[in-house]
């Protein structure tokens, strides 16, 4: 048994906290019934009935939530003192932020601009509220500094909310919105693929601008057609922008076609350094994402005006594909310090130096990186020196049971726990996240331990992630729990899958939220698309009801079946199969090397999709930790990474 697990076994019996709902007897169940009665009454707009139930809920953790709902229901007539008192007394509640925003709009409706000015904060992140703050200053005669702030909000290619209209009208009145600025914002609108805003701005600019914007729109909608018809048109600033955008759009579809088209344009017409940089960066990046062997040269040829973080990263990734170690070093060393210090680039700088025989400096970089934790590149660095992994050897956070007890008494923690007990999962998660605000690293670690003890693993991950970022020691058993162990081990065994890998996929896909649904419709622990689940069920001879995919056993059964399917598609290659689980087998085949095998670490770090690249790195690192959690020993990460074979002809 690992030392950390032994320590956990000694600590757990001493914890005075209990699982969610365990200490609640009949009195709390009665309060829950009253709470639900009040919520039902509010849904039916029966305010008096809700207020009657509320009066019997003194001391109940969620009484403030009902008060909040009552205030929302009556906000147009609510006394300002009552709302302000609620916001002050329950500032730690997540729903207070919603009430505060709604209240600011209500105050604006009442023309209570001094109240808006006093309540709004200088550090608002919402565009809507930042504009409301400017309006409040305008209405109360405190206009100092608002022109620059309003100008920053206006100068965007995105649509702005209606609360910005008074601020923008002020800019227009004082003559700040010049033809040059309108022209600049039109450029930004096309950058954001927002031709409707560009057309609105063109009408404001007048003259030939509407016709120009209409032509620009045609250029980005059908770039190949535009470039052919536009070949002999005279150049000006409008036309130059159109041509650059047409080339960029064409590059997204076909860099092979875009590259010669751009060379013809550049030899015939004048472009600014920025326009040249934009066009050549787009072509080079698109070629790199398609594994075009010309990409490295094109990336290095992009002028300085076209450089950004993405371009600098792909100079390295393209060089990795070619195992061009001198260019890997050159590209990394040319990065700004903040970028160069990322774990990924420190690892590859060490790899490149090692490949070129500079072993001493490489080993120093590996050793430093290996001490830093359980991240993918830190584990690979440890492997290069055969060092023990930091997560298995670093001392964990010391748990103080008194601190845990104190946390359970915090109102926000009590609310989060009670929301969860009632099945109000979204509210529970929001309240938990709000409860973490302002905690220091060790307190966050204790909150993670508390959530884990309650079996609330996804919120334990959130708290532990914040704790680590705040510098607290790790709790690997909290970050890598083993819920539904019987279901996972059974399904993995039936599919002859590595159970540690299955857990790695589950953690990355859903963070142990068995009921979660993604924006694109993926469901459950292993984030199955209903169509994939139905197809997989058919292969297994089972009829699948997509509505049941939140069931843990069913989801894990179908998810492991699909994971086994992609594994078999790639001859058991775990990295390739992991990428296929995320992006699909067809894309992974396109990403295979063209001619000869490639080291898996270089292949993974040159996957074109950011999401898939990060996904594979995370899943494989998690797999290694889960191996240690389940078995006490582990297969080293590098042993899971055989070379990636070239694509089949």
């Amino acid at each position: 048994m690992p030392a950390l697990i032994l320590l956990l076994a000694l600590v757990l019996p001493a914890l005075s906290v209990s699982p969610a709902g365990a200490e609640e007897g009949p009195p709390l169940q009665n309060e829950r019934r009253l709470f639900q009665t009040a919520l039902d009454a509010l849904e039916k707009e029966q305010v008096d009935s809700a207020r009657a139930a509320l009066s019997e809920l003194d001391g109940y953790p969620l009484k403030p939530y009902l008060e909040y709902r009552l205030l929302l229901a009556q906000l147009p007539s609510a006394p300002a003192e009552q709302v302000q008192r609620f916001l002050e007394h329950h500032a730690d509640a997540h729903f207070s932020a919603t009430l505060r925003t709604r209240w600011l709009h209500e105050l604006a409706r009442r023309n209570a601009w001094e109240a808006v000015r006093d309540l709004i904060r200088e550090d608002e992140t919402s565009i809507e509220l930042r504009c409301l703050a400017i309006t409040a200053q305008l209405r109360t005669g405190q206009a100092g500094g608002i022109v620059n702030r309003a100008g920053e909000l206006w100068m965007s290619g995105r649509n702005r909310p209606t609360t910005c209209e008074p601020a923008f009208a002020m800019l227009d009145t004082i003559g700040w919105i010049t033809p040059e600025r309108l022209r600049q914002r039109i450029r930004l609108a096309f950058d954001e693929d927002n031709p409707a805003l560009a057309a609105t701005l063109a009408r404001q600019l007048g003259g030939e601008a509407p016709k120009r914007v209409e032509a620009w729109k045609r250029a980005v909608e059908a770039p190949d057609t535009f470039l052919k018809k536009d070949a002999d048109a005279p150049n000006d600033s409008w036309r130059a922008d159109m041509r650059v955008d047409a080339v960029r759009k064409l590059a997204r579809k076909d860099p092979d076609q875009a590259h010669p088209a751009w060379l013809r344009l550049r030899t015939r017409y004048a472009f600014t350094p920025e326009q040249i940089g934009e066009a050549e960066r787009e072509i080079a990046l698109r070629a790199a994402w398609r594994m075009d062997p010309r990409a490295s040269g094109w990336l290095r040829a992009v002028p300085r005006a076209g450089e950004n973080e993405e371009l600098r990263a792909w100079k390295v990734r393209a060089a990795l594909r070619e195992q061009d170690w001198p260019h890997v070093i050159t590209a990394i060393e040319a990065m700004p310090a903040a970028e160069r210090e990322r774990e990924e680039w420190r690892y590859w700088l060490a790899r490149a130096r090692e490949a070129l025989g500079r072993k001493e400096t490489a080993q120093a970089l590996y050793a430093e990186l290996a001490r830093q934790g359980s991240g993918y590149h830190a584990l690979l660095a440890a492997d290069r020196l055969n060092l023990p992994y930091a997560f298995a050897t670093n001392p964990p956070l010391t748990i103080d049971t008194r601190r845990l007890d104190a946390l359970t008494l915090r109102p926000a923690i009590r609310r989060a726990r009670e929301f969860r007990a009632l099945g109000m999962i979204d509210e529970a998660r929001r309240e938990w996240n709000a409860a973490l605000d302002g905690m220091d690293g060790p307190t966050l670690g204790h909150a993670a331990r508390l959530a884990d003890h309650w079996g609330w693993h996804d919120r334990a991950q959130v708290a532990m992630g914040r704790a680590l970022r705040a510098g607290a020691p790790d709790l690997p058993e909290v970050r890598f729990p083993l819920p539904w162990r019987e279901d996972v081990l059974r399904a993995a065994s039936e599919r002859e899958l590595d159970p540690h890998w299955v857990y790695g996929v589950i953690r990355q896909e859903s963070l142990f939220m068995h009921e979660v649904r993604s924006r694109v419709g993926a469901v459950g622990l292993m984030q199955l698309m209903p169509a994939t689940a139905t197809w997989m069920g058919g292969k297994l001879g089972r009829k699948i009801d997509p509505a049941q995919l939140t069931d843990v056993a069913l989801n894990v059964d179908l998810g492991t079946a699909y994971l086994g399917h992609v594994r078999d598609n790639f001859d058991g290659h775990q990295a390739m199969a992991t990428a296929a689980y995320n992006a699909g087998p067809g894309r992974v085949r396109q990403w295979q090397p063209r001619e000869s095998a490639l080291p898996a670490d270089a292949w993974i770090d040159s996957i074109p999709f950011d999401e898939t690249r990060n996904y594979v790195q995370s899943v494989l690192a998690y797999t290694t930790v889960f191996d240690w959690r389940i078995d006490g020993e582990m297969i080293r990460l590098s042993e899971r990474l055989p070379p990636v074979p070239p694509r089949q002809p």
Side-chain angles (χ1 to χ4, degrees), residues 26 37 170 189 290 318 367 370 436 452-453 460 467 485-486 515 598 616:
T37 297
M170 176 271 297
R290 291 186 176 212
L436 302 181
D452 180 72
H453 187 53
R485 182 168 178 160
E486 183 177 337
E515 82 297 337
L598 188 67
V616 174

Side-chain angles (χ1 to χ4, degrees), residues 9-10 58 114 119 159 173 248 258 273 341 444 451 471 499 577 579 627 637 649:
L10 294 172
D58 286 345
E114 288 189 2
L119 182 58
N159 297 324
T173 299
R248 291 169 62 198
E341 287 302 309
L444 286 163
D627 193 354
L637 174 57

Side-chain angles (χ1 to χ4, degrees), residues 142-382:
Q142 297 184 0
I146 65 171
V147 173
N148 288 341
R149 286 160 47 211
E152 289 175 6
L153 293 166
W154 182 88
M155 189 59 76
S156 168
R158 298 182 181 182
N159 297 324
R160 293 312 197 192
T162 56
T163 56
C164 294
E165 291 173 2
F168 295 170
M170 176 271 297
L171 292 177
D172 196 26
T173 299
I174 66 173
W176 187 91
I177 302 177
T178 63
E180 292 76 14
R181 284 177 170 140
L182 282 166
R183 177 72 175 78
Q184 185 180 353
R185 194 178 180 200
I186 289 170
R187 163 78 269 175
L188 294 173
F190 276 104
D191 286 344
E192 294 284 351
D193 291 324
N194 192 352
L197 175 60
T200 299
L201 295 166
R203 289 192 293 272
Q204 188 176 352
L205 182 55
E208 291 292 310
K211 291 182 180 179
R212 298 282 195 154
V213 164
E214 188 59 34
W216 199 337
K217 183 180 176 184
R218 290 195 298 272
V220 297
E221 288 176 346
D224 44 354
T225 302
F226 173 83
L227 290 171
K228 289 174 185 175
K229 291 183 176 180
D230 186 62
D232 298 319
N235 207 39
D236 58 25
S237 63
W238 286 92
R239 185 69 60 176
D241 272 338
M242 292 180 210
R243 286 169 170 151
V244 167
D245 268 11
V247 168
R248 291 169 62 198
K249 287 287 186 179
L250 186 58
R252 296 179 190 180
K253 295 193 299 181
D254 188 354
D256 277 341
Q257 190 179 351
H259 187 255
W262 170 245
L263 291 181
R264 288 192 297 270
L265 288 171
R266 189 172 176 184
T267 57
R268 292 189 63 182
Y269 303 111
F271 296 93
T272 67
E274 291 74 22
Q275 288 170 331
I276 294 169
E278 287 176 8
E280 297 189 0
R281 180 180 67 231
E282 191 74 37
I283 293 168
L285 286 172
R286 296 290 169 173
W289 298 341
R290 291 186 176 212
M291 315 301 174
D292 191 312
R294 298 168 295 178
S296 282
W298 290 357
L299 288 163
R300 291 195 292 271
V302 174
R304 184 174 294 275
E307 275 208 359
N308 61 11
E309 184 174 354
E310 185 174 39
L311 182 87
R312 289 188 289 270
W314 274 96
K315 286 182 181 180
V316 182
R317 299 192 203 286
L320 290 178
R321 281 253 166 186
E322 298 172 357
Q323 300 288 275
D324 183 346
W325 301 115
H327 274 119
V328 168
I329 292 175
T330 299
I332 293 173
E333 290 182 342
M335 291 176 171
E339 292 175 28
R340 196 168 58 242
E341 287 302 309
R342 285 177 49 189
E343 286 190 8
E344 180 177 21
W345 306 134
R346 290 160 61 199
Y347 172 75
W348 284 114
L349 185 60
R351 279 275 274 122
R353 288 178 176 173
E354 181 183 28
L356 294 175
R358 296 156 62 180
K359 291 189 176 181
E360 187 173 333
T361 58
Q363 289 175 351
L365 283 170
Y366 286 141
E368 181 184 8
L369 190 53
R371 289 193 294 268
Q372 295 185 345
S374 56
Y376 171 78
H377 292 98
L379 300 186
L380 287 179

Side-chain angles (χ1 to χ4, degrees), residues 391-410:
F391 66 78
T393 57
N394 288 349
L397 177 69
T398 301
I399 297 298
D400 181 345
T401 57
R402 292 170 300 179
R403 202 166 190 171
L404 284 172
D405 288 340
L407 275 174
T408 65
L409 299 177
R410 291 194 181 192

